[in-house]
Coordinates of all heavy atoms in Angstrom, one line a residue:
M1 N 0.8 -1.2 0.0 CA 0.0 0.0 0.0 C 0.9 1.3 0.0 O 0.5 2.3 -0.5 CB -0.9 0.0 1.2 CG -2.0 1.0 1.1 SD -3.1 0.6 -0.2 CE -4.5 1.5 0.2
N2 N 2.1 1.2 0.6 CA 3.0 2.3 0.6 C 3.4 2.7 -0.8 O 3.6 3.9 -1.1 CB 4.2 2.1 1.5 CG 3.8 2.0 3.0 OD1 2.8 2.6 3.4 ND2 4.6 1.3 3.7
W3 N 3.6 1.7 -1.7 CA 4.0 2.1 -3.1 C 2.9 2.8 -3.8 O 3.2 3.7 -4.6 CB 4.4 0.8 -3.8 CG 5.8 0.4 -3.5 CD1 6.1 -0.7 -2.7 CD2 7.0 1.0 -3.9 NE1 7.5 -0.8 -2.6 CE2 8.0 0.2 -3.3 CE3 7.3 2.0 -4.7 CZ2 9.4 0.6 -3.6 CZ3 8.6 2.4 -5.0 CH2 9.6 1.6 -4.4
L4 N 1.6 2.4 -3.5 CA 0.5 3.1 -4.1 C 0.5 4.6 -3.7 O 0.3 5.5 -4.6 CB -0.8 2.4 -3.8 CG -2.1 3.1 -4.3 CD1 -2.0 3.0 -5.9 CD2 -3.3 2.4 -3.8
W5 N 0.7 4.9 -2.4 CA 0.7 6.2 -2.0 C 1.9 7.0 -2.5 O 1.8 8.2 -2.9 CB 0.7 6.3 -0.4 CG -0.6 6.1 0.2 CD1 -1.0 5.0 0.9 CD2 -1.8 6.9 0.0 NE1 -2.3 5.1 1.3 CE2 -2.8 6.3 0.7 CE3 -2.0 8.1 -0.7 CZ2 -4.1 6.8 0.8 CZ3 -3.3 8.6 -0.6 CH2 -4.3 8.0 0.1
A6 N 3.0 6.3 -2.7 CA 4.2 7.0 -3.3 C 4.0 7.4 -4.7 O 4.3 8.4 -5.2 CB 5.4 6.1 -3.2
I7 N 3.3 6.5 -5.5 CA 3.0 6.8 -6.9 C 2.0 7.9 -6.9 O 2.1 8.8 -7.8 CB 2.4 5.5 -7.6 CG1 3.6 4.5 -7.7 CG2 1.8 5.8 -8.9 CD1 3.1 3.1 -8.1
I8 N 0.9 7.9 -6.1 CA -0.1 9.0 -6.1 C 0.6 10.3 -5.7 O 0.4 11.3 -6.4 CB -1.2 8.6 -5.2 CG1 -2.0 7.5 -5.7 CG2 -2.1 9.9 -4.9 CD1 -3.0 6.9 -4.8
L9 N 1.4 10.3 -4.7 CA 2.1 11.5 -4.3 C 3.0 12.0 -5.4 O 3.1 13.2 -5.7 CB 2.9 11.3 -3.0 CG 3.6 12.5 -2.4 CD1 2.6 13.6 -2.1 CD2 4.5 12.1 -1.3
G10 N 3.8 11.1 -6.0 CA 4.7 11.4 -7.1 C 3.9 12.1 -8.3 O 4.3 13.0 -8.9
L11 N 2.7 11.5 -8.6 CA 1.9 12.1 -9.7 C 1.5 13.5 -9.3 O 1.6 14.4 -10.1 CB 0.7 11.2 -9.9 CG -0.3 11.7 -10.9 CD1 0.3 11.8 -12.3 CD2 -1.6 10.8 -11.0
I12 N 1.0 13.7 -8.1 CA 0.5 15.0 -7.7 C 1.6 16.0 -7.7 O 1.5 17.1 -8.2 CB -0.2 14.9 -6.3 CG1 -1.5 14.1 -6.5 CG2 -0.5 16.3 -5.8 CD1 -2.2 13.7 -5.2
L13 N 2.7 15.7 -7.0 CA 3.8 16.6 -7.0 C 4.4 16.9 -8.4 O 4.8 18.0 -8.7 CB 4.9 16.1 -6.1 CG 4.7 16.1 -4.6 CD1 5.8 15.4 -3.8 CD2 4.6 17.6 -4.1
G14 N 4.5 15.9 -9.2 CA 5.1 16.1 -10.5 C 4.2 17.0 -11.4 O 4.7 17.8 -12.1
L15 N 2.9 16.8 -11.3 CA 1.9 17.6 -12.0 C 1.9 19.1 -11.5 O 1.9 20.0 -12.3 CB 0.5 17.1 -12.0 CG 0.3 15.8 -12.8 CD1 -1.1 15.2 -12.6 CD2 0.7 15.9 -14.3
I16 N 2.0 19.3 -10.2 CA 2.1 20.6 -9.7 C 3.4 21.3 -10.1 O 3.4 22.4 -10.5 CB 1.9 20.6 -8.2 CG1 0.5 20.2 -7.8 CG2 2.2 22.0 -7.6 CD1 0.3 20.0 -6.3
A17 N 4.5 20.5 -10.1 CA 5.8 21.0 -10.5 C 5.8 21.4 -11.9 O 6.3 22.5 -12.3 CB 6.9 20.0 -10.2
K18 N 5.1 20.6 -12.8 CA 5.0 21.0 -14.2 C 4.2 22.2 -14.4 O 4.5 23.0 -15.3 CB 4.4 19.8 -15.0 CG 5.4 18.7 -15.3 CD 4.7 17.6 -16.0 CE 4.7 17.9 -17.5 NZ 4.3 16.7 -18.3
A19 N 3.2 22.5 -13.6 CA 2.4 23.7 -13.6 C 3.1 24.9 -13.2 O 2.9 26.0 -13.7 CB 1.1 23.5 -12.8
I20 N 4.1 24.7 -12.2 CA 4.8 25.9 -11.7 C 5.9 26.3 -12.7 O 6.2 27.5 -12.9 CB 5.4 25.5 -10.3 CG1 4.3 25.4 -9.3 CG2 6.5 26.5 -9.9 CD1 4.8 24.9 -7.9
I21 N 6.6 25.3 -13.3 CA 7.7 25.6 -14.2 C 7.1 26.3 -15.5 O 6.2 25.8 -16.1 CB 8.4 24.3 -14.6 CG1 9.0 23.7 -13.4 CG2 9.5 24.6 -15.6 CD1 9.5 22.3 -13.6
P22 N 7.7 27.4 -15.9 CA 7.2 28.1 -17.1 C 7.5 27.3 -18.4 O 8.5 26.6 -18.4 CB 7.9 29.5 -17.1 CG 9.0 29.3 -16.2 CD 8.7 28.2 -15.2
G23 N 6.6 27.5 -19.3 CA 6.8 26.8 -20.6 C 6.2 25.4 -20.6 O 5.6 24.9 -19.6
K24 N 6.4 24.7 -21.7 CA 5.9 23.4 -21.9 C 7.0 22.4 -21.6 O 8.0 22.4 -22.2 CB 5.3 23.2 -23.3 CG 4.7 21.9 -23.5 CD 4.0 21.8 -24.9 CE 3.4 20.6 -25.3 NZ 3.4 19.4 -24.5
Q25 N 6.7 21.4 -20.8 CA 7.7 20.3 -20.5 C 7.4 19.2 -21.5 O 6.2 18.9 -21.8 CB 7.6 19.9 -19.0 CG 8.1 20.9 -18.0 CD 7.1 22.0 -17.8 OE1 5.9 21.8 -17.7 NE2 7.6 23.2 -17.7
Q26 N 8.4 18.5 -21.8 CA 8.3 17.4 -22.8 C 8.4 16.0 -22.2 O 8.3 15.1 -23.0 CB 9.4 17.6 -23.9 CG 9.3 18.9 -24.6 CD 10.5 19.2 -25.5 OE1 11.4 18.3 -25.7 NE2 10.6 20.3 -26.1
I27 N 8.5 15.9 -20.9 CA 8.6 14.6 -20.3 C 7.2 13.9 -20.3 O 6.2 14.6 -20.1 CB 9.2 14.7 -18.9 CG1 8.4 15.6 -18.0 CG2 10.6 15.1 -18.9 CD1 8.8 15.6 -16.6
P28 N 7.2 12.6 -20.5 CA 5.9 11.9 -20.5 C 5.4 11.7 -19.0 O 6.1 12.0 -18.1 CB 6.3 10.5 -21.1 CG 7.8 10.4 -20.9 CD 8.3 11.8 -20.9
L29 N 4.2 11.3 -18.9 CA 3.5 11.2 -17.6 C 4.2 10.2 -16.7 O 4.4 10.5 -15.5 CB 2.1 10.8 -17.8 CG 1.2 10.7 -16.5 CD1 1.2 12.1 -15.9 CD2 -0.2 10.2 -16.8
W30 N 4.7 9.1 -17.2 CA 5.4 8.1 -16.3 C 6.7 8.7 -15.7 O 7.0 8.4 -14.6 CB 5.7 6.8 -17.1 CG 6.6 6.9 -18.2 CD1 6.3 7.2 -19.5 CD2 8.0 6.8 -18.2 NE1 7.4 7.2 -20.3 CE2 8.5 7.0 -19.5 CE3 8.9 6.6 -17.2 CZ2 9.9 6.9 -19.8 CZ3 10.3 6.5 -17.5 CH2 10.7 6.7 -18.8
L31 N 7.4 9.5 -16.5 CA 8.6 10.2 -16.0 C 8.2 11.3 -15.0 O 9.0 11.5 -14.1 CB 9.4 10.7 -17.2 CG 10.9 10.9 -16.9 CD1 11.5 9.7 -16.3 CD2 11.6 11.3 -18.2
T32 N 7.1 11.9 -15.2 CA 6.6 13.0 -14.3 C 6.4 12.3 -12.9 O 6.7 12.9 -11.9 CB 5.3 13.6 -14.8 OG1 5.6 14.2 -16.1 CG2 4.8 14.7 -13.9
V33 N 5.8 11.2 -12.9 CA 5.5 10.5 -11.6 C 6.8 10.1 -11.0 O 7.0 10.3 -9.8 CB 4.7 9.2 -11.9 CG1 4.6 8.3 -10.6 CG2 3.3 9.6 -12.4
I34 N 7.8 9.6 -11.7 CA 9.1 9.2 -11.1 C 9.8 10.4 -10.6 O 10.3 10.4 -9.5 CB 9.9 8.4 -12.2 CG1 9.3 7.1 -12.5 CG2 11.4 8.3 -11.7 CD1 9.9 6.3 -13.6
F35 N 9.8 11.5 -11.4 CA 10.5 12.7 -10.9 C 9.8 13.3 -9.7 O 10.4 13.8 -8.8 CB 10.5 13.8 -12.0 CG 11.5 13.4 -13.1 CD1 11.4 14.1 -14.3 CD2 12.5 12.5 -12.9 CE1 12.3 13.8 -15.3 CE2 13.4 12.2 -13.9 CZ 13.3 12.8 -15.1
G36 N 8.4 13.2 -9.6 CA 7.7 13.7 -8.4 C 8.0 12.8 -7.2 O 8.2 13.4 -6.1
M37 N 8.2 11.5 -7.4 CA 8.6 10.7 -6.3 C 10.0 11.0 -5.8 O 10.3 11.0 -4.6 CB 8.5 9.2 -6.7 CG 7.1 8.7 -6.9 SD 7.0 7.1 -7.7 CE 7.7 6.0 -6.5
L38 N 10.9 11.2 -6.7 CA 12.3 11.6 -6.4 C 12.3 13.0 -5.6 O 13.0 13.2 -4.7 CB 13.2 11.7 -7.6 CG 13.5 10.3 -8.2 CD1 14.2 10.5 -9.6 CD2 14.3 9.4 -7.3
G39 N 11.5 13.9 -6.1 CA 11.3 15.2 -5.4 C 10.8 15.0 -4.0 O 11.3 15.7 -3.1
S40 N 9.9 14.1 -3.8 CA 9.4 13.8 -2.5 C 10.5 13.3 -1.6 O 10.6 13.7 -0.4 CB 8.2 12.9 -2.6 OG 7.8 12.5 -1.3
V41 N 11.3 12.4 -2.1 CA 12.4 11.8 -1.3 C 13.4 12.9 -1.0 O 13.9 13.0 0.2 CB 13.0 10.7 -2.1 CG1 14.3 10.2 -1.4 CG2 12.1 9.5 -2.2
L42 N 13.7 13.8 -1.9 CA 14.6 14.9 -1.7 C 14.1 15.8 -0.6 O 14.8 16.2 0.3 CB 14.9 15.6 -3.0 CG 15.8 16.8 -2.9 CD1 17.2 16.4 -2.5 CD2 15.9 17.5 -4.3
G43 N 12.8 16.2 -0.7 CA 12.2 17.1 0.3 C 12.2 16.5 1.6 O 12.5 17.2 2.6
N44 N 11.9 15.2 1.7 CA 11.9 14.5 3.0 C 13.4 14.5 3.6 O 13.5 14.7 4.8 CB 11.4 13.1 2.9 CG 9.9 13.0 2.9 OD1 9.2 13.9 3.3 ND2 9.4 11.9 2.3
W45 N 14.3 14.3 2.8 CA 15.7 14.3 3.2 C 16.1 15.6 3.7 O 16.8 15.7 4.8 CB 16.6 13.8 2.1 CG 18.1 13.8 2.4 CD1 18.7 12.9 3.2 CD2 19.0 14.8 2.0 NE1 20.1 13.2 3.2 CE2 20.3 14.4 2.5 CE3 19.0 15.9 1.2 CZ2 21.4 15.1 2.3 CZ3 20.1 16.7 1.0 CH2 21.3 16.3 1.6
L46 N 15.7 16.7 3.0 CA 16.0 18.0 3.5 C 15.3 18.4 4.8 O 15.9 19.0 5.7 CB 15.7 19.1 2.4 CG 16.6 19.1 1.2 CD1 16.0 20.0 0.1 CD2 17.9 19.6 1.5
A47 N 14.0 18.0 4.9 CA 13.3 18.2 6.1 C 13.9 17.5 7.3 O 14.0 18.1 8.4 CB 11.8 17.8 5.9
T48 N 14.4 16.3 7.1 CA 15.0 15.6 8.2 C 16.3 16.3 8.6 O 16.7 16.4 9.7 CB 15.3 14.1 7.8 OG1 14.1 13.5 7.4 CG2 16.0 13.3 8.9
G49 N 17.0 16.8 7.6 CA 18.3 17.4 7.8 C 18.2 18.7 8.6 O 19.1 19.0 9.4
I50 N 17.1 19.4 8.4 CA 16.9 20.7 9.1 C 16.0 20.5 10.4 O 15.8 21.5 11.1 CB 16.4 21.8 8.2 CG1 15.0 21.5 7.7 CG2 17.4 22.2 7.2 CD1 14.4 22.7 6.9
G51 N 15.5 19.3 10.6 CA 14.8 19.0 11.8 C 13.3 19.3 11.8 O 12.7 19.5 12.8
V52 N 12.7 19.3 10.6 CA 11.3 19.6 10.6 C 10.5 18.5 9.9 O 9.4 18.7 9.5 CB 11.0 20.9 9.8 CG1 11.6 22.1 10.5 CG2 11.5 20.9 8.4
A53 N 11.0 17.3 9.9 CA 10.4 16.2 9.3 C 9.1 15.7 10.1 O 8.1 15.4 9.5 CB 11.3 15.0 9.1
D54 N 9.2 15.7 11.4 CA 8.0 15.3 12.2 C 7.7 16.4 13.2 O 8.4 16.7 14.1 CB 8.4 14.1 13.0 CG 8.6 12.9 12.1 OD1 7.8 12.7 11.2 OD2 9.6 12.1 12.3
T55 N 6.5 17.1 12.9 CA 6.0 18.1 13.8 C 4.6 17.8 14.2 O 4.0 16.9 13.6 CB 6.1 19.5 13.1 OG1 5.2 19.4 11.9 CG2 7.5 19.9 12.7
K56 N 4.1 18.5 15.1 CA 2.7 18.3 15.5 C 1.8 18.9 14.4 O 2.1 20.0 13.9 CB 2.4 18.9 16.9 CG 3.1 18.2 18.0 CD 2.7 18.8 19.3 CE 3.5 18.1 20.4 NZ 3.1 18.6 21.7
G57 N 0.8 18.2 14.0 CA -0.1 18.7 13.0 C 0.4 18.4 11.6 O 1.1 17.5 11.4
I58 N 0.0 19.3 10.7 CA 0.4 19.1 9.3 C 1.8 19.6 9.1 O 2.2 20.7 9.6 CB -0.6 19.9 8.4 CG1 -2.0 19.3 8.5 CG2 -0.1 19.8 6.9 CD1 -3.0 20.1 7.8
D59 N 2.6 18.9 8.4 CA 4.0 19.2 8.2 C 4.2 20.1 7.0 O 4.6 19.7 5.9 CB 4.9 18.0 8.0 CG 4.9 17.1 9.3 OD1 4.8 17.7 10.4 OD2 5.1 15.9 9.2
W60 N 3.8 21.4 7.1 CA 3.7 22.3 5.9 C 5.1 22.5 5.3 O 5.3 22.5 4.1 CB 3.1 23.6 6.3 CG 1.6 23.5 6.5 CD1 1.0 23.6 7.7 CD2 0.6 23.2 5.6 NE1 -0.3 23.4 7.6 CE2 -0.6 23.1 6.3 CE3 0.6 22.9 4.2 CZ2 -1.8 22.9 5.7 CZ3 -0.6 22.6 3.6 CH2 -1.8 22.6 4.3
I61 N 6.1 22.7 6.2 CA 7.5 22.9 5.7 C 8.0 21.7 4.9 O 8.6 21.8 3.9 CB 8.4 23.3 6.9 CG1 8.0 24.6 7.5 CG2 9.9 23.4 6.4 CD1 8.7 24.9 8.8
R62 N 7.7 20.5 5.4 CA 8.2 19.3 4.8 C 7.5 19.2 3.4 O 8.1 18.8 2.4 CB 7.8 18.1 5.6 CG 8.3 16.8 4.9 CD 8.1 15.6 5.9 NE 6.8 15.4 6.4 CZ 5.9 14.6 5.9 NH1 6.2 13.8 4.9 NH2 4.7 14.5 6.4
H63 N 6.2 19.5 3.3 CA 5.5 19.4 2.1 C 6.0 20.5 1.1 O 6.1 20.2 -0.1 CB 4.0 19.6 2.3 CG 3.3 18.5 3.1 ND1 3.6 17.2 2.9 CD2 2.4 18.6 4.1 CE1 2.9 16.5 3.8 NE2 2.2 17.3 4.5
L64 N 6.3 21.6 1.5 CA 6.9 22.6 0.6 C 8.2 22.2 0.1 O 8.6 22.5 -1.0 CB 6.9 24.0 1.3 CG 5.6 24.7 1.6 CD1 5.8 26.0 2.4 CD2 4.9 25.0 0.3
L65 N 9.0 21.6 1.0 CA 10.3 21.1 0.6 C 10.2 20.0 -0.4 O 11.0 19.9 -1.4 CB 11.2 20.6 1.8 CG 11.7 21.8 2.7 CD1 12.3 21.2 4.0 CD2 12.7 22.6 2.0
Q66 N 9.2 19.1 -0.3 CA 8.9 18.1 -1.2 C 8.5 18.7 -2.6 O 9.0 18.2 -3.6 CB 7.8 17.2 -0.8 CG 8.2 16.3 0.4 CD 7.0 15.5 0.9 OE1 5.8 15.9 0.7 NE2 7.3 14.4 1.5
L67 N 7.7 19.7 -2.6 CA 7.3 20.4 -3.8 C 8.5 21.1 -4.5 O 8.7 21.0 -5.7 CB 6.2 21.4 -3.6 CG 5.7 22.1 -4.8 CD1 5.1 21.2 -5.8 CD2 4.6 23.1 -4.4
A68 N 9.3 21.7 -3.7 CA 10.5 22.4 -4.2 C 11.5 21.3 -4.8 O 12.0 21.6 -5.9 CB 11.2 23.2 -3.1
G69 N 11.6 20.2 -4.2 CA 12.4 19.1 -4.7 C 11.9 18.6 -6.0 O 12.6 18.4 -7.0
A70 N 10.6 18.5 -6.1 CA 9.9 18.0 -7.3 C 10.1 19.0 -8.5 O 10.4 18.7 -9.6 CB 8.5 17.8 -7.1
V71 N 10.0 20.3 -8.1 CA 10.2 21.4 -9.2 C 11.6 21.3 -9.7 O 11.8 21.4 -10.9 CB 9.9 22.8 -8.6 CG1 10.3 23.9 -9.5 CG2 8.4 22.9 -8.3
V72 N 12.6 21.2 -8.8 CA 14.0 21.1 -9.3 C 14.2 19.9 -10.1 O 14.8 20.0 -11.2 CB 14.9 21.2 -8.1 CG1 16.4 20.8 -8.5 CG2 14.9 22.5 -7.4
I73 N 13.8 18.7 -9.7 CA 14.0 17.5 -10.4 C 13.3 17.5 -11.7 O 13.8 17.0 -12.8 CB 13.7 16.3 -9.5 CG1 14.8 16.2 -8.4 CG2 13.7 15.0 -10.3 CD1 14.6 15.1 -7.4
V74 N 12.0 17.9 -11.8 CA 11.3 18.0 -13.0 C 11.9 18.9 -14.0 O 12.1 18.6 -15.2 CB 9.8 18.4 -12.8 CG1 9.1 18.7 -14.1 CG2 9.1 17.2 -12.1
A75 N 12.4 20.1 -13.5 CA 13.0 21.1 -14.4 C 14.3 20.5 -15.0 O 14.6 20.6 -16.2 CB 13.3 22.4 -13.7
V76 N 15.2 19.9 -14.2 CA 16.4 19.3 -14.7 C 16.2 18.1 -15.5 O 16.8 18.0 -16.6 CB 17.4 19.0 -13.5 CG1 18.6 18.2 -13.9 CG2 17.8 20.2 -12.7
G77 N 15.2 17.3 -15.1 CA 14.9 16.1 -15.8 C 14.3 16.4 -17.2 O 14.6 15.7 -18.2
D78 N 13.5 17.5 -17.3 CA 12.9 17.9 -18.6 C 14.0 18.3 -19.5 O 14.0 18.0 -20.7 CB 11.9 19.0 -18.4 CG 11.3 19.4 -19.7 OD1 10.7 18.5 -20.4 OD2 11.4 20.6 -20.0
R79 N 15.0 19.1 -19.0 CA 16.1 19.5 -19.9 C 16.9 18.3 -20.4 O 17.2 18.2 -21.6 CB 17.0 20.4 -19.1 CG 16.4 21.7 -18.7 CD 16.4 22.7 -19.8 NE 15.9 24.0 -19.3 CZ 15.6 25.0 -20.1 NH1 15.8 24.9 -21.4 NH2 15.2 26.1 -19.6
L80 N 17.2 17.4 -19.5 CA 17.9 16.2 -19.9 C 17.1 15.3 -20.9 O 17.7 14.8 -21.9 CB 18.3 15.3 -18.7 CG 19.3 15.9 -17.7 CD1 19.4 15.1 -16.5 CD2 20.6 16.1 -18.4
W81 N 15.8 15.2 -20.7 CA 15.0 14.4 -21.5 C 14.9 15.1 -22.9 O 15.0 14.4 -23.9 CB 13.6 14.3 -21.0 CG 12.6 13.6 -21.8 CD1 11.7 14.1 -22.7 CD2 12.4 12.2 -21.9 NE1 10.9 13.1 -23.3 CE2 11.4 11.9 -22.8 CE3 13.0 11.1 -21.3 CZ2 11.0 10.6 -23.1 CZ3 12.6 9.8 -21.6 CH2 11.6 9.6 -22.5
A82 N 14.8 16.4 -23.0 CA 14.7 17.1 -24.3 C 16.1 17.0 -25.0 O 16.1 16.8 -26.2 CB 14.4 18.6 -24.0
A83 N 17.2 17.0 -24.2 CA 18.5 16.9 -24.9 C 18.7 15.5 -25.4 O 19.2 15.3 -26.6 CB 19.6 17.2 -23.9
L84 N 18.3 14.5 -24.7 CA 18.4 13.1 -25.2 C 17.5 12.8 -26.3 O 17.9 12.2 -27.3 CB 18.1 12.1 -24.0 CG 19.2 12.1 -22.9 CD1 18.7 11.2 -21.8 CD2 20.5 11.5 -23.5
R85 N 16.3 13.3 -26.3 CA 15.3 13.1 -27.4 C 15.8 13.9 -28.6 O 15.6 13.4 -29.7 CB 13.9 13.5 -27.0 CG 13.3 12.7 -25.8 CD 13.2 11.3 -26.1 NE 12.1 11.1 -27.0 CZ 11.7 9.9 -27.4 NH1 12.3 8.8 -27.0 NH2 10.6 9.8 -28.2
G86 N 16.3 15.0 -28.4 CA 16.8 15.8 -29.6 C 18.0 15.2 -30.3 O 18.0 15.1 -31.5
K87 N 18.9 14.6 -29.5 CA 20.0 13.9 -30.1 C 19.5 12.6 -30.8 O 20.0 12.3 -31.9 CB 21.0 13.5 -29.0 CG 21.8 14.7 -28.5 CD 22.8 14.2 -27.5 CE 23.6 15.4 -26.9 NZ 24.5 15.0 -25.9
R88 N 18.6 11.9 -30.2 CA 18.1 10.7 -30.8 C 17.4 11.0 -32.2 O 17.5 10.3 -33.1 CB 17.1 10.0 -29.9 CG 16.9 8.6 -30.2 CD 16.1 7.9 -29.2 NE 16.8 7.8 -27.9 CZ 16.2 7.5 -26.8 NH1 14.9 7.3 -26.7 NH2 16.9 7.4 -25.7
K89 N 16.6 12.1 -32.2 CA 15.9 12.5 -33.4 C 16.9 12.9 -34.6 O 16.6 12.6 -35.7 CB 14.9 13.6 -33.2 CG 13.7 13.1 -32.4 CD 12.8 14.3 -32.2 CE 11.6 13.8 -31.3 NZ 10.7 14.9 -31.1
K90 N 18.0 13.5 -34.2 CA 19.0 13.9 -35.2 C 19.7 12.8 -35.8 O 20.1 12.8 -37.0 CB 20.0 14.9 -34.6 CG 19.4 16.2 -34.2 CD 20.4 17.1 -33.6 CE 19.7 18.4 -33.1 NZ 20.7 19.3 -32.4
T91 N 20.0 11.7 -35.1 CA 20.7 10.6 -35.6 C 19.9 9.7 -36.4 O 20.4 8.9 -37.2 CB 21.4 9.8 -34.4 OG1 20.4 9.3 -33.6 CG2 22.4 10.7 -33.7
V92 N 18.6 9.7 -36.3 CA 17.7 8.8 -37.0 C 17.4 9.3 -38.4 O 17.3 10.4 -38.7 CB 16.4 8.5 -36.2 CG1 15.5 7.6 -37.0 CG2 16.8 7.8 -34.9

């Protein structure tokens, strides 16, 4: 059941990250989910590092760090995806 929640959270964070980043992203939906999941892991790691991973109530700072991680990973991943797809199209 934890994997299902990770996939759902990755999808939500990835889609929000794509909405925040200006312009059109070229990554497919499955990669958006993976990047969203990686952003969530990065945000949790940062939250643990600064000591705000477990607080009373809703962990707003942790959630914002997860979203920020997803935005960074989606932005970088989209650039890499576009570069790889561009090279592949030129050689074919």
